[in-house]
Amino acid sequence: MRAIVLDAPDRPLRAAELPDPEPGPGELLLRVRACGVCRTDLHLRDGELAAGHTPLVLGHQIVGEVVGGDVEAGARAALGARVGVPWLGWTCGRCRYCSSGRENLCAKAQFTGCDRDGGYAELTVADARFCFPLPDEEAAADEQLAPLLCAGLIGFRALRMAGDAARLGLYGFGAAAHLICQVAVHEGREVYAFTREGDGPGQAFARSLGAVWAGTSTEAPPEQLDAALIFAPVGALVPIALRNVARGGTVVCAGIHMSDVPSFPYADLWGERTLRSVANLTRADGEEFLALAPEVPLRTQITTYPLERAEQALADLRAGAFEGAAVLQIA
Ligand SMILES: [Zn+2]
Ligand SMILES: [Zn+2]
């Protein structure tokens, strides 16, 4: 099969011919139709996160068609069915996290496109229990659905951590924020969008999706926020966001990697403000979010690339060259 592989950190991804993957017990063989490009892929490519093995096939927002494997294993997937494969690829099912609804924290978890080969390829295998059934093709194209599987899902988990915050700040208006902005507006919240300095197009994009205010991350919003979600991998945003949330407010760090957080006065945390991170996803998050998506209804802004241009897609993501999400079109 054709695939794009990461040989080592900080080296360009390479096109390769790999043997077709072989599904084991309980696993499905999928023909990949589209795969979303996530900032986590960029962190792995740039060596800010360690790859589980090399050469590694990146990609954990996979829309695929079941073409073989253990189709009896999950009632979730008949031959020909369209399924989504997220970041959470496997968990132990037995530890104290797995047995208390927190499989996202399982220490033995395997992640798609990091520990397990992912979707930057024509074929992939996935544990049937961790695949999500997807709606009919008439309802949503492959490329539209792919970014929901991480950007949408992790963003949604971060939004839930913000409780019933009425005024919601989003720091970093990329793939996740553009989806979560729509969910938050749908839920009747006010969204305040913060972008990089000089990103007028990003701010206009945020307003077009219902944000009541958009500015740069160094600006104070016109109203104090009840919660802020930080999607940009910039630790310096943590004290800034804390200063902009009201007493009792929450700041959620939604990324898997962030630069160091600078020190800040305790007074910025005092007043029962909460600072927390969000890690990974549970299958329950996925089921809830994918059911909610058509109700909003979510519109995904995508820029598509052929599989061979995955390295360019990552470069464009690093440069902030597009609004919304990048998606590889494969089949
Ligand atoms: Zn576990
Ligand atoms: Zn991701």
Side-chain angles (χ1 to χ4, degrees), residues 91-95 98 106-107:
T91 57
C92 83
R94 311 163 63 124
C95 69
C98 284
C106 177

Side-chain angles (χ1 to χ4, degrees), residues 27-33 63-72 74 76-85 123-124 126 128 131-133:
E27 291 184 333
L28 300 172
L29 178 66
L30 305 173
R31 184 180 314 286
V32 181
R33 305 212 306 208
V63 176
E65 178 188 340
V66 180
V67 293
D70 197 350
V71 289
E72 304 294 312
R76 291 166 164 260
L79 272 181
R82 186 166 66 153
V83 298
V85 184
L123 295 167
T124 194
C131 296
F132 297 115

Side-chain angles (χ1 to χ4, degrees), residues 37-41 60-61 87 149-151 154 256:
V37 173
C38 178
R39 185 164 286 281
T40 298
D41 303 342
H60 56 270
Q61 305 185 89
W87 171 243
L149 291 163
C150 183
I154 304 261
I256 191 170

Side-chain angles (χ1 to χ4, degrees), residues 159 168 170 179-191:
L159 178 64
L168 181 73
L170 301 178
L179 294 169
I180 292 321
C181 177
Q182 297 173 60
V183 175
V185 169
H186 172 73
E187 292 177 339
R189 306 174 195 247
E190 284 183 0
V191 173

Side-chain angles (χ1 to χ4, degrees), residues 90-99 102-103 105-109:
W90 184 90
T91 57
C92 83
R94 311 163 63 124
C95 69
R96 66 197 190 97
Y97 297 110
C98 284
S99 53
R102 296 179 292 165
E103 62 185 1
L105 301 180
C106 177
K108 291 183 178 163

